[in-house]
Amino acid sequence: MAFAVSDELLGTFVPIAVYWLYSGLYVVLDGLGMDDYRLHPKGEEVRNIVSKWTVVRGVLVQQAFQIAVSLLLFTALGDEDGTVKKQPPALVIALQFIIAMFVMDTWQYFMHRYMHINKFLYKHIHSKHHTLVVPYAFGALYNHPLEGLILDTIGGALSFLVSGMTPRIGIFFFSFATIKTVDDHCGLWLPGNILHVFFSNNSAYHDIHHQLYGNKYNFSQPFFVMWDKILGTYMPYALETRKGGGFEARPVKLNQAEQTKAD
């Protein structure tokens, strides 16, 4: 007897599997020696306040909340007769992807920025993510559970609902969004990374935000940089080769005094 798994269940669990598989790929690459492509020297990881095992546990907690909300959403929206929805044509799917990306970016930009503006929220909620001064792949979703609920889970639900995509299309969209988020936190600048071709919001761009001098800039995530540019929070950078190997994303907006302090 065949065992069928619903699109709703796949849409809930596949992005989580993608998260650990894709971030695991970066762990393997790191083990092979990626010093020539790092945005920070290996030794700078001591600046991170939390251990990697703490990060793993924190991400698993957030993903547990994500699973619960996702299952509740799909249960509320599910068809009682159990029929499978007809999938739209490719052009409609592409449009739904674009809408979902715009909705997710818009929601996350304003929520993310507000968590920096509001001192209480930053101190008690968002600062947890910024304990990773030197980001790495599987720390992408290391957040306070409330932040994970507001930014990621609710933002994802809004993207799904507003775009009108089916649960099956949602499997691919949320898997793609997961890959993009992990890639932005990987801490590497790899040659031939196809995501860098299509998105200027990338690992170097987001690394600026994780540094003290970039804390009030580059809020956009995970796809585009439009809201930063429109609302004046865009900090351009130059990717420079570091002495001793690797790269460094250096902001070009700082004055000399600020740059000296940052160094």
Side-chain angles (χ1 to χ4, degrees), residues 189-252:
W189 188 266
L190 295 177
N193 188 330
I194 193 169
L195 293 175
H196 295 173
V197 176
F198 295 100
F199 299 98
S200 54
N201 194 335
N202 49 47
S203 55
Y205 184 83
H206 194 66
D207 184 75
I208 292 290
H209 177 72
H210 272 259
Q211 310 312 309
L212 182 60
Y213 54 74
N215 198 257
K216 298 184 186 300
Y217 298 92
N218 295 11
F219 297 109
S220 293
Q221 57 185 46
F223 299 111
F224 309 112
V225 301
M226 60 179 181
W227 287 117
D228 277 319
K229 288 190 173 183
I230 291 171
L231 297 176
T233 54
Y234 175 78
M235 179 178 279
Y237 64 91
L239 195 65
E240 301 178 0
T241 302
R242 183 189 296 107
K243 294 180 180 178
F247 297 99
E248 181 178 4
R250 294 182 65 87
V252 298

Side-chain angles (χ1 to χ4, degrees), residues 80-172:
E80 294 183 358
D81 58 5
T83 58
V84 178
K85 286 187 177 181
K86 183 180 179 181
Q87 304 306 312
L91 187 60
V92 173
I93 293 173
L95 180 60
Q96 288 174 335
F97 257 67
I98 293 171
I99 292 172
M101 291 162 74
F102 174 78
V103 171
M104 182 174 286
D105 265 25
T106 301
W107 176 263
Q108 293 210 4
Y109 175 86
F110 287 101
M111 292 297 102
H112 184 193
R113 185 175 179 181
Y114 184 66
M115 286 189 176
H116 278 265
I117 294 172
N118 187 296
K119 293 181 179 180
F120 178 86
L121 289 178
Y122 185 81
K123 179 179 180 180
H124 297 284
I125 305 296
H126 188 54
S127 62
K128 182 173 182 176
H129 183 67
H130 280 273
T131 57
L132 297 181
V133 181
V134 180
Y136 48 82
F138 63 86
L141 292 183
Y142 179 65
N143 302 310
H144 188 284
L146 183 59
E147 177 180 350
L149 177 65
I150 294 173
L151 259 72
D152 300 312
T153 307
I154 294 179
L158 287 172
S159 301
F160 177 80
L161 293 171
V162 173
S163 67
M165 62 177 54
T166 64
R168 183 168 298 177
I169 303 305
I171 298 170
F172 296 96

